[in-house]
Amino acid sequence: MATTGGAGRPEKRKAITRAATTVFGREGYVRASMDAIAAEAGVSKRTVYNHFADKETLFLSVALQNSAELTERIRELMAKYLDRVVELRQDLIDFAVQRARAVLSAGEHGALGRAIRAEVANIPADVLEAWLEAGPIASQRDLAQHFAALAERGLLTVEDAALAAEQFTLLTFHGIAERSFWGALPVADEEVERIAAAGVDAFLRIHGASSSAASSPTARG
């Protein structure tokens, strides 16, 4: 992987990364050019190369930045709904709905993610691995840790927390993601809520604890 150049002003770098997010999301990795990114940013191509050694380096930078921002947003939602459970089923539904909305409303961040998924065979392997690790894998790891903690409190029955996190995502999120083509098309709030609730109910049929344990809420601060 080529290293990122260090020359140039921070505001120019920010303009370049914003422009790159737009261009990569619109054109995809293969078709996007440094010329187009420079034009979108309102700078010369030389300025772009002063900050980023090549297209792969620039793509990695914006992919990691976008992925990390969305991952942090989802982490905040986990803290809000899963750290201190009030009513398990409703908190799981609320988290699932808000996570879906965060992804569906990601705008250009979502467009970049769609471009990566559409061109997965053309994305450099190290770039794809880094994006996955900073985004989807990190979120699933965080969710697994929350489910393990809920199991320790007797609110869930979980033997494999990573598997439980995968099942939860498949049941409550992927149907919404597929219907929206990963945020390209709108999905009605009522449909998002319906899918999330049905998914949570299915998840709890697999991993729900006894009613006595699950009915001991802790107030969320």
Side-chain angles (χ1 to χ4, degrees), residues 11-124:
E11 63 269 22
K12 289 289 182 69
R13 186 181 182 89
K14 289 179 182 178
I16 292 166
T17 56
R18 284 196 301 267
T21 299
T22 298
V23 173
F24 282 127
R26 183 179 66 224
E27 305 291 339
Y29 177 75
V30 173
R31 291 197 301 164
S33 69
M34 297 294 258
D35 287 303
I37 292 168
E40 183 76 25
V43 301
S44 68
K45 188 163 70 170
R46 178 180 293 276
T47 299
V48 176
Y49 280 112
N50 282 342
H51 289 272
F52 300 95
D54 51 33
K55 185 170 79 167
E56 181 177 338
T57 301
L58 177 52
F59 185 79
L60 175 60
S61 178
V62 298
L64 292 183
Q65 177 181 324
N66 280 264
S67 190
E69 288 174 358
L70 185 56
T71 298
E72 182 57 32
R73 173 59 182 146
I74 294 172
R75 187 172 288 132
E76 292 170 356
L77 293 173
M78 290 182 197
K80 179 177 181 179
Y81 293 108
L82 303 182
D83 276 359
R84 296 183 180 181
V85 168
V86 175
E87 197 285 307
L88 180 62
R89 178 180 181 272
Q90 190 59 53
D91 283 332
L92 289 173
I93 292 172
D94 289 344
F95 166 68
V97 168
Q98 295 304 321
R99 175 171 67 166
R101 287 175 177 165
V103 174
L104 296 184
S105 64
E108 290 184 343
H109 299 265
L112 185 62
R114 290 192 295 275
I116 292 173
R117 290 179 173 89
E119 291 194 79
V120 64
N122 299 316
I123 304 295

Side-chain angles (χ1 to χ4, degrees), residues 104 179-180 183-188:
L104 296 184
R179 291 185 187 213
S180 70
L185 299 176
V187 178

